[in-house]
């Protein structure tokens, strides 16, 4: 197998893989559009749109595996997702997206739809989580809860994210319900249930308890890493109490971003997400993690 591809070789390789996966999944062949003007991935019943790469770009086998992961994920939406099932609230929609993604991937792996589907989808979510761990500073922020759930509900995800106190019982039950779902209507019902449970959480963090002995050097000192800096658990919000999302809280997106490798993308970077949604595409958006959130 080749280890490096020029862009003009890369696109046919991904397209051929997509056609083979369609055949394996019992789907009609999908048309792939390589867009120079988007860094999103999306699909409807007929067309998949992927971020284009330059003809002279040099891409690796890892890049090919990442793109094929996107292709499998999007084709699973085509196989299982009811595109018209939605919710008016952005936060509930994002919870639904998280649950729908976990449901379609778990269903496909349990059905062993392709020989290495677990490996492909596991790598896809783990790469995404690695990126998130490097960018998100506070996982106790309610904006991040849908993504935390998206990871928690995927048994094939090997890399986990910190979880605020109080989320585990909700997400454990949500995962159980998700694996029992039969359709996108069921996953939406799970999302609505999760939002109702999150709404019962405290509205703000409790005041920290002052440890006994208020002189310097007494009481429980913050844990630090070898360099003397706060531990990852403290800086990323683990150990904090989960709080309820407030009205108008905008959740960070949860789907994998199909962004061309650095120095490989074609010109143009504006997002066509709004136009795609109007044409009933399932959109994978660029906005996922918020620095400092």
């Amino acid at each position: 197998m080749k280890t490096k591809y020029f862009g003009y070789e890369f696109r046919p390789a991904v397209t051929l893989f997509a056609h083979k996966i369609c055949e394996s999944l019992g789907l009609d062949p999908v048309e792939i559009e390589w867009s120079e003007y988007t860094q999103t991935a999306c699909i409807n019943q007929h067309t998949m749109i992927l971020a284009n790469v330059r003809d002279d770009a040099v891409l690796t086998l890892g890049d090919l595996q990442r793109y094929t992961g996107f292709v499998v994920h999007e084709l699973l939406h085509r196989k299982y997702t009811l595109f018209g099932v939605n919710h008016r609230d952005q936060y509930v929609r994002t919870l639904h997206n998280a649950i729908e993604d976990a449901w379609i991937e778990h269903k496909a792996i349990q059905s062993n739809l392709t020989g290495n589907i677990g490996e492909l989808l596991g790598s896809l979510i783990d790469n995404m989580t690695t990126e998130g761990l490097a960018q998100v500073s506070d996982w106790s922020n309610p904006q991040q809860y849908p993504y935390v759930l998206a990871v928690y509900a995927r048994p094939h995800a090997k890399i986990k994210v910190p979880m605020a106190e109080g989320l585990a019982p909700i997400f454990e039950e949500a995962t159980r319900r998700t694996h029992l779902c039969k359709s996108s209507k069921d996953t939406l019902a799970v999302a609505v249930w999760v939002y109702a449970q999150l709404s019962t959480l405290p509205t703000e963090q409790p005041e920290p308890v002052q440890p006994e002995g208020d002189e310097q050097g007494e009481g429980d000192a913050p844990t630090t890493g070898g360099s003397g800096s706060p531990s990852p658990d403290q800086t990323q919000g683990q150990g904090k109490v989960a709080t309820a999302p407030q009205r108008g809280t905008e959740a960070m997106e949860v789907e994998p971003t199909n962004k061309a490798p650095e120095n490989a993308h074609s010109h143009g970077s504006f997002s066509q997400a709004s136009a795609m949604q109007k044409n009933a595409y399932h959109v994978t958006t660029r906005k996922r993690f918020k620095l400092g959130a």
Side-chain angles (χ1 to χ4, degrees):
M1 178 180 289
K2 296 184 62 170
T3 58
K4 290 190 177 181
Y5 299 80
F6 286 108
Y8 67 84
E9 301 172 304
F10 184 83
R11 290 190 299 271
V14 173
T15 301
L16 177 62
F17 176 83
H19 291 161
K20 288 184 176 179
I21 292 297
C22 283
E23 182 178 353
S24 177
L25 299 182
L27 300 173
D28 292 335
V30 67
E31 177 183 348
I32 293 185
E33 177 181 334
W34 294 87
S35 174
E36 297 180 347
Y37 303 107
T38 184
Q39 294 184 23
T40 66
C42 61
I43 192 169
N44 65 9
Q45 290 297 329
H46 310 289
T47 305
M48 180 185 301
I49 299 179
L50 297 174
N52 200 8
V53 294
R54 297 194 322 271
D55 283 350
D56 61 349
V58 178
L59 300 108
T60 67
L61 182 59
D63 295 323
L64 180 62
Q65 291 172 337
R66 188 165 60 89
Y67 263 72
T68 55
F70 296 141
V71 167
V72 169
H73 179 88
E74 294 302 325
L75 287 176
L76 290 178
H77 278 300
R78 186 180 175 198
K79 183 174 181 66
Y80 295 127
T81 296
L82 299 175
F83 289 92
V85 177
N86 215 322
H87 196 279
R88 64 182 180 277
D89 182 82
Q90 187 270 348
Y91 198 95
V92 178
R93 284 200 307 272
T94 310
L95 284 171
H96 184 212
N97 206 3
I99 293 163
E100 181 81 8
D101 285 352
W103 173 63
I104 64 173
E105 291 189 3
H106 181 68
K107 186 177 179 70
I109 292 170
Q110 291 297 106
S111 301
N112 196 29
L113 291 184
T114 66
N116 65 339
I117 194 166
E119 179 183 349
L120 279 174
L121 295 175
S123 295
L124 188 65
I125 186 62
D126 286 345
N127 289 338
M128 181 177 169
T129 300
T130 299
E131 178 185 340
L133 288 170
Q135 296 183 19
V136 177
S137 61
D138 185 4
W139 289 95
S140 69
N141 187 327
Q143 290 181 305
Q144 307 297 346
Y145 294 170
Y147 183 75
V148 177
L149 175 57
V151 176
Y152 191 95
R154 282 171 162 98
H156 51 286
K158 305 302 183 187
I159 300 176
K160 305 300 182 181
V161 296
M163 185 180 302
E165 182 182 339
L167 291 181
I170 299 172
F171 288 179
E172 181 178 354
E173 175 61 16
T175 300
R176 187 190 71 81
R177 295 184 180 210
T178 296
H179 294 169
L180 296 175
C181 289
K182 302 297 183 184
S183 74
S184 298
K185 294 179 181 179
D186 297 333
T187 57
L188 177 58
V190 176
V192 171
W193 179 86
V194 170
Y195 185 74
Q197 305 311 303
L198 293 177
S199 299
T200 67
L201 295 172
T203 57
E204 58 185 23
Q205 290 289 332
E207 291 293 328
V209 177
Q210 180 70 26
E212 292 184 9
D214 55 2
E215 296 183 10
Q216 186 175 4
E218 296 184 13
D220 295 329
T223 59
T224 61
S227 63
S229 58
S231 69
D233 284 357
Q234 287 182 306
T235 58
Q236 293 190 333
Q238 188 173 7
K240 290 185 178 180
V241 174
T243 56
Q246 301 302 300
R247 184 180 297 276
T249 297
E250 184 176 350
M252 294 298 103
E253 297 293 342
V254 299
E255 288 237 7
T257 300
N258 171 222
K259 185 169 62 175
E262 191 171 354
N263 299 323
H265 58 80
S266 292
H267 65 277
S269 61
F270 68 85
S271 172
Q272 294 177 314
S274 296
M276 292 171 182
Q277 286 173 330
K278 290 178 182 178
N279 288 292
Y281 282 89
H282 180 88
V283 179
T284 297
T285 63
R286 286 190 295 161
K287 183 179 180 183
R288 180 167 75 249
F289 301 112
K290 184 176 182 180
L291 294 175

